[in-house]
Amino acid sequence: MRLRALLDTDALGLRLLGGEDELDRTVRGVMTTDLRDPSRYLSGGELVLTGLAWRRDAADSEPFVRLLAQAGVAALAAGEAELGDVPDDLVVACARHRLPLFAVHESVAFATITEHVVRQVSGERAGDLAAVVDRHRRMMTSGPAGGGPDVVLDLLGSDLDLRAWVLSPTGRLIAGSKVSGPALPAETCAQLAAEHLAATRTGRRGPHRVLLGSTTYSLFPVRSWGHRPAAAGGGRSPQGARDVRETVLSDWLLAVEADASDWQDERLDLLQGVTQLIAVERDRRDAARTVRRRLAQEVLELVQTGAAPAEIAARLRVAAPVLLPGLGAAPHWQVVVARVEWEGGEVEGGPVAQSLLEEILVDPLATGPEPSDRIAVAHTGDEAIALVPLPAVSAEHDGSESGIHADALLKSVRDPLSAGLDDDGRVTLGVSAAVHSAEGLRGALEEARHARRVAAARPGRVCAAGHQELASHVLLLPFVPDDVRRAFTARLLDPLRDYDRRHRAELIPTLEAFLDCDGSWTRCATRLHLHVNTLRYRVGRIEQLTGRDLSRLEDKLDFFLALRMS
């Protein structure tokens, strides 16, 4: 579509501030941003919408407009809701770079302009591409009854012979074309998600080309601008900039079995349009979570403020039919706590953890159009807390037979999320046992928090712990101060490490094996392929260097804990 066509639509509330000679430019897409440098997300021909949150003073306008002009955008539209009239310095900068500038009336939502542009651009494609995109639009805008993303992918397969799938950042298969043949294996989905997250963290512009075995995939980001994780907590990054870490763990992706590097612009435009249409569906699903988030927040506040169990039970009775419609008896509940931490602390972790929990706790066996309708997640500070309902089995049920298990949760998300966290982020998860009453909910919350702290004491970018581990000595280790840990382990193990380094004596591996064999000389010697006399010599050397006696239980326990904490 042409720029001048936007001025002919009164409902868009656009007013031209400059660039009248450039109104014959073609608009090929639309993007909403408040980034100070959005160039890596631009491919050219976009109408850029901005609320001006990137502008701190007049000097910021020139570099912002210069970047847009270099990226080849069609025009800039600035909203008047925040600052009132569009600043003169922005008008001057746009005139200098021959970039058409529109003012957007405060009564008009950016979503209205986005939907109009996507619809018009899609409808104006020539030949078969026009028909395909128009059919996509009609299917997507008809709501859930239209079939959602699956129908869009069916059309890609039937009309353009493209096999495509929509994946979550953890590799969950959200949608796939019926004409694409068998569903992607879970391992392939996880690999594609990991590749996409890794590429996103490097700042590379999509689509990302990935070769798995002999198959080439092109990965297109599905960026949802209508509802972002940061909005859930009301926080923003400094100067209104959008840090990629705010959304990298929650944005969907479109995986296409093809090499898009040699595609013509028309086909690339088509796929970019499809991602925008899928983003509309993502926004619709996110909006549906509002009620569940509010329920979780209300229950959490009651639990943390020490409300009476009867009051908490009343809120749970309200939550149960929303999360488990048609359930006759009151369910059991589990609590899952997550924390997302980024080095530097610029990104608020709570909203990111909330979106992440909503994704990884999706029940793949749930029925209905959206399985995540069984999850209620709140966040406070850098922590997110999920209230997970389980169908009641019996009053004695302790959560051991069914429900969420930390090891299974970790296995399903560890590899993709580690790629998204790169070398500056960490996710830790804690899972409680199931409880069947309001009285037990406070204990379940504390149990999940303790389990998460146990997970945080472990190495790795993504760690989880469950309630079963809280009866072990490992519960105590995370609460030992770091300076005490260092002093304790250094006193016992440093002499052995120094000796091993000088003589290659392998005293540390010998100590570990001796304790693991419960002090059995025969079993330990067999495991290490040593003569018993050689083993006795090594153990004697350990005792001589440390002044400890490995026949005493207290000294064995000290060595065991030192090895665990080192």
Side-chain angles (χ1 to χ4, degrees):
M1 65 177 300
R2 304 290 182 180
L3 278 176
R4 65 175 67 255
L6 296 174
L7 292 174
D8 297 332
T9 307
D10 294 337
L12 299 184
L14 294 177
R15 180 164 49 91
L16 184 64
L17 299 182
E20 185 174 357
D21 295 336
E22 306 292 332
L23 292 181
D24 284 328
R25 290 187 181 186
T26 300
V27 179
R28 301 170 63 177
V30 62
M31 175 186 178
T32 301
T33 185
D34 278 318
L35 285 170
R36 298 172 65 81
D37 179 6
S39 56
R40 64 180 178 180
Y41 301 117
L42 297 169
S43 56
E46 295 93 349
L47 170 66
V48 174
L49 306 174
T50 180
L52 301 177
W54 50 266
R55 182 185 178 276
R56 292 171 299 182
D57 54 46
D60 291 334
S61 292
E62 167 63 27
F64 180 77
V65 173
R66 183 175 65 253
L67 289 169
L68 297 187
Q70 290 172 349
V73 305
L76 175 65
E80 297 179 321
E82 289 291 331
L83 302 180
D85 292 338
V86 176
D88 290 339
D89 49 90
L90 183 60
V91 177
V92 171
C94 287
R96 181 180 299 116
H97 291 279
R98 301 180 63 83
L99 182 67
L101 175 64
F102 299 95
V104 183
H105 193 271
E106 62 182 3
S107 63
V108 178
F110 282 177
T112 300
I113 300 174
T114 298
E115 183 178 358
H116 176 83
V117 172
V118 171
R119 182 181 295 115
Q120 293 300 315
V121 170
S122 299
E124 290 178 2
R125 299 295 185 210
D128 291 339
L129 293 180
V132 173
V133 176
D134 185 60
R135 288 165 67 190
H136 290 175
R137 178 190 60 76
R138 287 187 282 108
M139 290 295 184
M140 291 299 294
T141 56
S142 63
D150 296 277
V151 175
V152 178
L153 302 184
D154 282 343
L155 291 172
L156 280 178
S158 61
D159 289 34
L160 295 180
D161 196 26
L162 289 176
R163 290 160 46 87
W165 303 266
V166 177
L167 305 177
S168 78
T170 63
R172 178 173 66 92
L173 182 62
I174 296 169
S177 168
K178 295 183 180 64
V179 299
S180 292
L184 280 179
E187 182 180 354
T188 300
C189 292
Q191 287 179 294
L192 291 175
E195 293 283 353
H196 173 73
L197 291 175
T200 301
R201 288 306 311 274
T202 63
R204 288 193 285 123
R205 183 183 301 172
H208 310 303
R209 182 181 180 276
V210 175
L211 180 64
L212 296 183
S214 59
T215 306
T216 301
Y217 298 90
S218 294
L219 310 180
F220 294 79
V222 177
R223 295 193 174 94
S224 172
W225 297 101
H227 180 86
R228 309 304 283 175
R236 297 188 65 85
S237 300
Q239 290 86 47
R242 193 182 306 282
D243 193 309
V244 68
R245 293 174 296 180
E246 292 180 12
T247 59
V248 68
L249 301 184
S250 59
D251 279 343
W252 291 355
L253 66 134
L254 175 66
V256 180
E257 188 181 302
D259 186 351
S261 61
D262 58 356
W263 282 4
Q264 295 182 350
D265 289 345
E266 290 80 3
R267 178 160 287 207
L268 284 172
D269 288 346
L270 169 65
L271 267 295
Q272 296 292 354
V274 169
T275 63
Q276 290 180 330
L277 294 173
I278 294 174
V280 171
E281 177 66 15
R282 170 65 190 273
D283 286 343
R284 181 183 293 118
R285 295 189 185 191
D286 281 351
R289 291 175 173 167
T290 303
V291 173
R292 298 189 292 279
R293 287 179 171 181
R294 186 171 65 248
L295 286 172
Q297 198 73 45
E298 291 174 356
V299 173
L300 175 62
E301 290 174 359
L302 290 174
V303 170
Q304 295 192 126
T305 55
E311 188 176 359
I312 299 174
R315 296 308 303 160
L316 289 177
R317 284 194 294 272
V318 172
V322 174
L323 299 176
L324 290 176
L327 189 68
H332 289 93
W333 301 93
Q334 267 185 293
V335 175
V336 181
V337 172
R339 192 178 184 92
V340 176
E341 297 171 292
W342 301 101
E343 292 181 9
E346 299 92 348
V347 178
E348 186 181 358
V352 180
Q354 182 181 44
S355 293
L356 184 59
L357 271 187
E358 288 173 335
E359 162 55 36
I360 66 177
L361 294 179
V362 167
D363 181 2
L365 302 179
T367 58
E370 175 48 51
S372 62
D373 59 6
R374 296 174 182 266
I375 302 161
V377 186
H379 78 81
T380 173
D382 286 333
E383 181 182 71
I385 301 164
L387 191 64
V388 182
L390 304 172
V393 188
S394 68
E396 294 76 29
H397 179 64
D398 63 358
S400 60
E401 294 85 5
S402 63
I404 299 168
H405 294 271
D407 53 352
L409 200 63
L410 179 63
K411 182 180 179 181
S412 66
V413 302
R414 178 170 47 205
D415 290 345
L417 291 185
S418 295
L421 293 164
D422 197 18
D423 59 355
D424 63 345
R426 196 154 192 255
V427 171
T428 49
L429 303 158
V431 181
S432 80
V435 296
H436 62 273
S437 67
E439 289 86 351
L441 203 56
R442 183 177 302 167
L445 175 58
E446 290 306 312
E447 190 173 58
R449 282 175 165 162
H450 281 309
R452 192 208 63 78
R453 284 193 281 270
V454 169
R458 296 171 175 168
R461 289 290 169 189
V462 184
C463 298
H467 61 92
Q468 301 92 339
E469 301 176 61
L470 300 188
S472 169
H473 65 277
V474 296
L475 172 62
L476 303 176
L477 299 185
F479 307 104
V480 178
D482 288 342
D483 55 343
V484 176
R485 279 175 188 257
R486 287 191 293 269
F488 182 74
T489 57
R491 188 178 302 116
L492 284 174
L493 301 183
D494 278 3
L496 306 183
R497 293 190 180 109
D498 290 342
Y499 191 88
D500 280 348
R501 190 162 45 249
R502 293 195 308 270
H503 302 285
R504 299 182 180 179
E506 298 187 350
L507 295 185
I508 291 289
T510 301
L511 176 62
E512 291 175 331
F514 186 73
L515 295 175
D516 195 41
C517 292
D518 299 322
S520 169
W521 296 99
T522 303
R523 282 195 288 126
C524 184
T526 300
R527 174 182 292 191
L528 296 176
H529 305 290
L530 297 175
H531 192 278
V532 171
N533 289 340
T534 304
L535 176 61
R536 290 185 184 276
Y537 171 81
R538 289 188 182 180
V539 170
R541 179 65 67 184
I542 291 171
E543 293 174 334
Q544 179 185 19
L545 291 170
T546 60
R548 299 298 185 105
D549 182 355
L550 277 169
S551 66
R552 298 178 67 246
L553 176 62
E554 294 87 346
D555 287 343
K556 286 181 181 176
L557 181 59
D558 283 348
F559 277 121
F560 176 79
L561 293 174
L563 289 168
R564 279 299 183 97
M565 290 190 294
S566 65

